[in-house]
Amino acid sequence: MFKRLAPLALATFAVGTDSYVIAGLLPSIADDLDVSTPAAGQLVTVFALVLAASAPVMAAVAGALDRRMALLVALGVFVAGNALTAVGTGYEVVMAARVLTAIGAGTITSTASSTAAAIVEPERRGRALAFVLGGLTLATAVGLPLGTLIGRTDWRITLWAVAGLGLLAAVGVALGVPKVVLPAASLADRLRPLRQRRVLSLLAITAMTFLASYTLYTYIAPALDAATNGSDARLTLILTAWGTGTLAGNLTAGRLVDRRDPTRVLTVALALGTVVLALTPIAVQTLAGAMVWAVIWGGAVGIIVVPQQHRLIALHPTAAPVLLGLNSCAIYTGIALGGALGGLAQQWPALTPPRLGYPAAILTAATLLHHLAAVRRTRASARALAPATPPRDEHRATI
């Protein structure tokens, strides 16, 4: 199983590295392009916003293609966008290149996930999704810190490296992924699930989770100034700890959702995330504290995506590609709004980068409350629709 899934994980690893590494390179990018750090942060915001908006459109356009060909086309656009980013000499050019990259990336994650779900048995779906999404989380553990370290010398080298990863993933997909044909869906078909309250509720949880995380994470480098004392090696060490925690959380979630109720797994992750984000201003004052904080927060973030995808597929198995595409949109909508909110929040003098943990914690707590309320509504509806059990006396009379 994992041999067929490996090229899909490599594709998501390339996308994850590209998505996450910009946050670690913001100071270098801002200096090189002669803009402020919040302005450079909008490269993350625009990338995520375009990805979210274009994903369902591009998925509908590529609906007639088998999943392998759709991935190859998307990876081609992704590689071209990263190459243009690497050669861009002005803020506007780099921004336009990030838009192109986002259009390619928008198709990759959902297509890789739906392909993985289609080529494994239902009872192994959680582990398959965790393995493919492990590419995203492995990017936080390896690609992000390594790319940040390389990019501190020249951030453009990192973008060339990401383009190379995209090419390698394309070769792996071409040679190792079987042809998978799933039912084609028009744009209207893809948006139809948004009429269902339960689908909207699940997508809202995804979006709110990443909105909360990226309010802080987009500005993670300046938030860690006290712990790093300007040391690139220390920043890389903390980012590695965060990524390792994320990877561990992702792999743990894959096994948990195959054995336990995904809603309970999500509840624990959101509660843990709320607490650790609230402690951010205190935890990041020292290197040791920041390391522990990074591992725990990373673990909470790593758990969340798998149960969400599992719940969406279980809701409508035949519409898995559509729902996973919408979930990718929700993820990157949250990332975009989080980057924008983090930039706006810093206009208030009291909200320094480390203190962005406070609004991030509040938003995560709100997500947890929404999740618990949605679970209660779903269970109440299930009880109302279940056939009533006749009272004991009536049962005896019937006999």
Side-chain angles (χ1 to χ4, degrees):
M1 176 186 76
F2 293 115
K3 184 177 179 180
R4 290 184 295 171
L5 297 177
L8 304 177
L10 181 59
T12 61
F13 176 75
V15 171
T17 301
D18 190 38
S19 301
Y20 294 125
V21 79
I22 294 295
L25 299 174
L26 281 188
S28 299
I29 294 173
D31 288 343
D32 192 17
L33 300 180
D34 195 24
V35 296
S36 66
T37 299
Q42 299 318 302
L43 292 171
V44 177
T45 300
V46 170
F47 176 90
L49 193 59
V50 171
L51 192 153
S54 66
V57 177
M58 295 306 298
V61 170
L65 301 174
D66 68 85
R67 298 300 85 193
R68 180 175 60 191
M69 183 56 67
L71 272 171
L72 290 174
V73 172
L75 283 165
V77 175
F78 174 81
V79 169
N82 274 292
L84 288 174
T85 304
V87 300
T89 56
Y91 182 73
E92 294 78 10
V93 174
V94 171
M95 181 67 79
R98 295 305 290 166
V99 168
L100 179 63
T101 307
I103 292 173
T107 309
I108 293 172
T109 303
S110 60
T111 304
S113 297
S114 61
T115 302
I119 62 179
V120 300
E121 302 83 357
E123 63 271 16
R124 304 181 76 182
R125 187 176 291 150
R127 278 167 285 180
L129 287 171
F131 183 77
V132 171
L133 290 172
L136 291 173
T137 51
L138 184 62
T140 66
V142 178
L144 167 59
L146 184 60
T148 301
L149 187 61
I150 294 171
R152 292 303 218 185
T153 302
D154 184 349
W155 64 272
R156 299 175 190 277
I157 297 176
T158 299
L159 274 297
W160 281 118
V162 171
L165 281 173
L167 280 175
L168 187 60
V171 172
V173 168
L175 297 179
V177 176
K179 184 177 180 180
V180 177
V181 179
L182 298 174
S186 66
L187 181 59
D189 291 334
R190 290 181 177 276
L191 297 179
R192 190 168 291 118
L194 294 177
R195 300 175 184 174
Q196 301 177 35
R197 181 177 180 179
R198 192 172 174 191
V199 171
L200 277 175
S201 178
L202 288 173
L203 295 177
I205 291 169
T206 297
M208 291 170 66
T209 297
F210 282 86
L211 164 61
S213 292
Y214 270 76
T215 296
L216 171 62
Y217 185 81
T218 303
Y219 303 96
I220 191 68
L224 293 171
D225 276 347
T228 62
N229 289 322
S231 168
D232 293 343
R234 286 190 172 195
L235 176 62
T236 301
L237 189 63
I238 297 171
L239 292 178
T240 301
W242 190 88
T244 301
T246 305
L247 181 60
N250 179 266
L251 295 176
T252 301
R255 294 188 176 276
L256 286 176
V257 299
D258 281 339
R259 300 175 182 177
R260 302 183 183 277
D261 184 357
T263 59
R264 293 184 179 179
V265 176
L266 184 61
T267 299
V268 173
L270 289 172
L272 182 61
T274 299
V275 173
V276 74
L277 284 168
L279 294 174
T280 299
I282 299 171
V284 299
Q285 294 303 309
T286 65
L287 178 61
M291 291 285 289
V292 174
W293 167 84
V295 169
I296 298 174
W297 181 32
V301 173
I303 290 172
I304 290 168
V305 176
V306 175
Q308 281 294 92
Q309 290 201 329
H310 197 280
R311 293 166 76 197
L312 284 166
I313 293 174
L315 194 60
H316 294 292
T318 59
V322 174
L323 293 173
L324 292 177
L326 290 173
N327 196 56
S328 291
C329 291
I331 289 173
Y332 285 97
T333 297
I335 291 173
L337 295 176
L341 179 61
L344 289 173
Q346 291 177 72
Q347 301 303 311
W348 293 84
L351 279 176
T352 58
R355 291 182 178 179
L356 291 175
Y358 292 144
I362 292 170
L363 288 167
T364 304
T367 306
L368 174 60
L369 293 175
H370 171 71
H371 162 64
L372 293 175
V375 170
R376 284 195 295 270
R377 285 196 302 268
T378 300
R379 290 175 179 171
S381 298
R383 286 194 296 269
L385 292 174
T389 302
R392 188 181 300 273
D393 292 340
E394 292 182 11
H395 182 62
R396 288 177 177 172
T398 301
I399 295 175

